[in-house]
Structure formats: C-alpha cells, structure tokens
Amino acid sequence: MKLYRFLTGPDDATFCHKVTAAVNKGWHLFGSPTYSFDAETRTMRCGQAVVKDVEGAEYTPDTKLGDY
C-alpha cells in the first residue's frame, strides 16, 4: 500500500522539523514544496507532500497516517 500525506505549517523551524521527522520515519518527499501567504493570519505557510510504501497493511479512510 502506498500512503500519501500533505504536511503544512508556518514558515519556521517547526515545519522543517515536521518534514525531517517524517523523512526519518521512512516517508519520501513527493513533488516540490509549496509556499503561500495566509491572509487571515498574515503569515507565510509551507507545504510538502510525502509518500510511503507500507507492506502488509490495508488502507481504509480510518487509517491514521501519522502512525506510520
């Protein structure tokens, strides 16, 4: 099974740590990162898609992607 997640966060070190933690758990970067302005909070936001192949598991809508 292949899992997909889209990580988001403010443009600061916490976002980089979130992506680093996912990569260290076996997730792989998928595509280019995104960067946009959040007009409501007046801050920049980052996003990065990650994917992971998981053997022996079956996907359901209840799958908690962060557990992988």
Side-chain angles (χ1 to χ4, degrees), residues 10-43:
D11 178 25
D12 62 16
T14 60
F15 176 75
C16 294
H17 288 292
K18 185 186 292 189
V19 174
T20 299
V23 169
N24 281 299
K25 286 178 140 184
W27 292 83
H28 299 277
L29 301 179
F30 184 79
S32 299
T34 61
Y35 194 61
S36 65
F37 182 71
D38 182 338
E40 186 174 313
T41 62
R42 302 189 52 78
T43 59

